Amino acid sequence: MLLARLWFEWRGPQAARVLGKNLGVRKVSSGVSSPGSPSPRALNIFDRGLKRKQKNWAARQPDPMKFDYVREEVGSRIADRVYDIARDFPLALDVGCGRGYIAQYLNKETVGKFFQADIAENTLKNTLETEIPTVTVLADEEFLPFRENTFDLVVSSLSLHWVNDLPGALEQIHYVLKPDGVFIGAMFGGDTLYELRCSLQLAETEREGGFSPHISPFTAVNDLGHLLGKAGFNTLTVDTDEIQVNYPGMFELMEDLQGMGESNCAWNRKALLHRDTMLAAAAVYREMYRNEDGSVPATYQIYYMIGWKYHDSQARPAERGSATVSFGELGKINNLMSQGKKSQ
């Protein structure tokens, strides 16, 4: 059954080993947290141990590239944002790298050396080819094993929506960045898979008299800028985009989500759905959202974020009250310009 949870023996990882002559490592016994041990201040929403198993299982499939289409697309868009910055980055870090969906689109002229960190060891064993020298690090997004002021660039693509302590994860990213370093990230937004969510809720309510959450909760875009600012970033940019993918039906969508390692891992998830509820949900999905060609759409909303670590060389807003022209004078600009042209 597509929603069945995949259980297999889990063995604790060895301590994360970070290579590099000038790269320091903070004193942590392992870059991967033990299951059920989030930050003391964090809400314990997700089973991080289960998420690690899901990602490891997905990476072991015979053809993992079959399910990489969304990550490939978002990885290329993050790379475009890196190229938009007119500088090179001697040392960069990818937090929650997966199979290296960002590094493959970057070149060695832009990034000198790339550290790729992920919670799942199988994904690190099957990273995609890149011309940039890379180092793989087994590490949890919530427990980065790097010292302060280490990286010129930190990127992250479609992994931060699974962390329990998002504010803490952003603070750690800010911590490992050098002054004037930049963080460029992407994560799923609140409207992601709304078609699937609505179909499951309607079918489960009708068949079972109520519904349980089957899709992970997401961060609201209004909160993202506040979280980045609270973590210490400045000169913030947050924008949203949508990627719509068409599938033959609901079950094919769910199969692909499992292949992506994106199955639900919330602690309050329901263990299983009855067969008739699943069939009803598929029928509701098709009835409500069917395309003209018979396929059904699935929407992936993506939040893109850019934040800089403070440095004295960065441009800063003028002090309050230092303006020499009032906004009330702006309406007279055209008259002043025309008078200047006449005087010439």
Side-chain angles (χ1 to χ4, degrees):
M1 190 173 185
L2 291 175
L3 283 183
R5 290 178 293 175
L6 301 168
W7 296 100
F8 53 85
E9 182 181 2
W10 181 86
R11 296 180 181 176
Q14 296 178 351
R17 296 180 179 178
V18 185
L19 306 178
K21 185 175 180 180
N22 297 320
L23 185 69
V25 183
R26 283 195 282 172
K27 294 181 179 179
V28 292
S29 60
S30 174
V32 178
S33 61
S34 59
S37 60
S39 168
R41 71 175 181 179
L43 294 174
N44 192 8
I45 300 172
F46 303 115
D47 184 346
R48 295 288 292 170
L50 177 59
K51 177 50 59 182
R52 178 172 175 268
K53 294 176 182 179
Q54 291 173 347
K55 295 183 70 173
N56 274 324
W57 178 87
R60 289 203 311 269
Q61 297 312 295
D63 187 16
M65 295 183 65
K66 174 183 176 182
F67 307 106
D68 285 347
Y69 47 88
V70 175
R71 297 185 185 280
E72 293 266 7
E73 178 63 26
V74 176
S76 69
R77 296 185 185 187
I78 291 180
D80 288 341
R81 286 164 168 79
V82 174
Y83 287 127
D84 286 341
I85 301 173
R87 67 165 68 174
D88 60 315
F89 304 95
L91 198 61
L93 169 68
D94 187 352
V95 178
C97 65
R99 299 179 60 240
Y101 303 104
I102 302 175
Q104 63 174 330
Y105 293 108
L106 297 174
N107 57 47
K108 58 186 178 182
E109 286 75 26
T110 303
V111 176
K113 191 172 187 179
F114 214 167
F115 280 72
Q116 297 177 303
D118 198 273
I119 194 174
E121 59 271 20
N122 286 340
T123 62
L124 297 175
K125 295 176 183 177
N126 297 284
T127 53
L128 301 167
E129 291 185 2
T130 177
E131 63 181 67
I132 304 171
T134 60
V135 176
T136 58
V137 182
L138 183 63
D140 194 320
E141 296 94 333
E142 298 186 19
F143 302 92
L144 297 180
F146 306 104
R147 287 183 179 171
E148 186 177 11
N149 302 332
T150 299
F151 297 100
D152 305 281
L153 167 71
V154 176
V155 294
S156 180
S157 178
L158 303 184
S159 71
L160 293 178
H161 59 286
W162 288 121
V163 302
N164 284 305
D165 186 9
L166 181 58
L170 293 175
E171 287 176 6
Q172 290 191 55
I173 290 172
H174 182 270
Y175 178 85
V176 302
L177 272 174
K178 293 179 180 178
D180 203 31
V182 61
F183 166 58
I184 304 176
M187 60 189 296
F188 284 123
D191 288 338
T192 297
L193 300 177
Y194 72 87
E195 304 96 339
L196 178 61
R197 181 187 296 110
C198 291
S199 300
L200 288 171
Q201 289 178 354
L202 289 172
E204 194 173 8
T205 300
E206 190 270 330
R207 294 302 173 96
E208 303 182 26
F211 64 87
S212 300
H214 298 286
I215 296 178
S216 162
F218 296 107
T219 302
V221 67
N222 296 336
D223 297 330
L224 199 51
H226 173 71
L227 291 174
L228 288 166
K230 189 176 180 180
F233 292 100
N234 59 65
T235 319
L236 306 177
T237 302
V238 177
D239 62 285
T240 67
D241 197 3
E242 288 186 354
I243 299 173
Q244 190 173 88
V245 182
N246 295 324
Y247 297 88
M250 187 191 79
F251 293 109
E252 288 79 8
L253 164 60
M254 296 175 71
E255 181 182 7
D256 279 19
L257 291 175
Q258 192 177 40
M260 296 176 193
E262 289 295 325
S263 299
N264 192 4
C265 70
W267 285 108
N268 65 346
R269 67 192 181 278
K270 193 172 181 178
L272 55 86
L273 276 172
H274 295 98
R275 182 175 181 274
D276 60 340
T277 303
M278 293 288 290
L279 294 174
V284 170
Y285 202 132
R286 186 169 296 280
E287 182 65 26
M288 293 180 62
Y289 304 107
R290 178 175 51 194
N291 297 317
E292 292 182 358
D293 61 0
S295 63
V296 296
T299 301
Y300 299 90
Q301 185 182 38
I302 314 296
Y303 297 157
Y304 295 96
M305 66 199 99
I306 301 176
W308 295 79
K309 189 169 183 176
Y310 175 79
H311 188 267
D312 289 338
S313 64
Q314 293 173 348
R316 295 189 296 275
E319 294 183 6
R320 185 179 180 87
S322 63
T324 57
V325 179
S326 169
F327 274 107
E329 301 292 327
L330 294 179
K332 303 178 183 179
I333 288 180
N334 291 333
N335 294 332
L336 293 174
M337 292 181 63
S338 61
Q339 292 176 3
K341 290 180 180 178
K342 289 179 180 179
S343 62
Q344 292 177 358

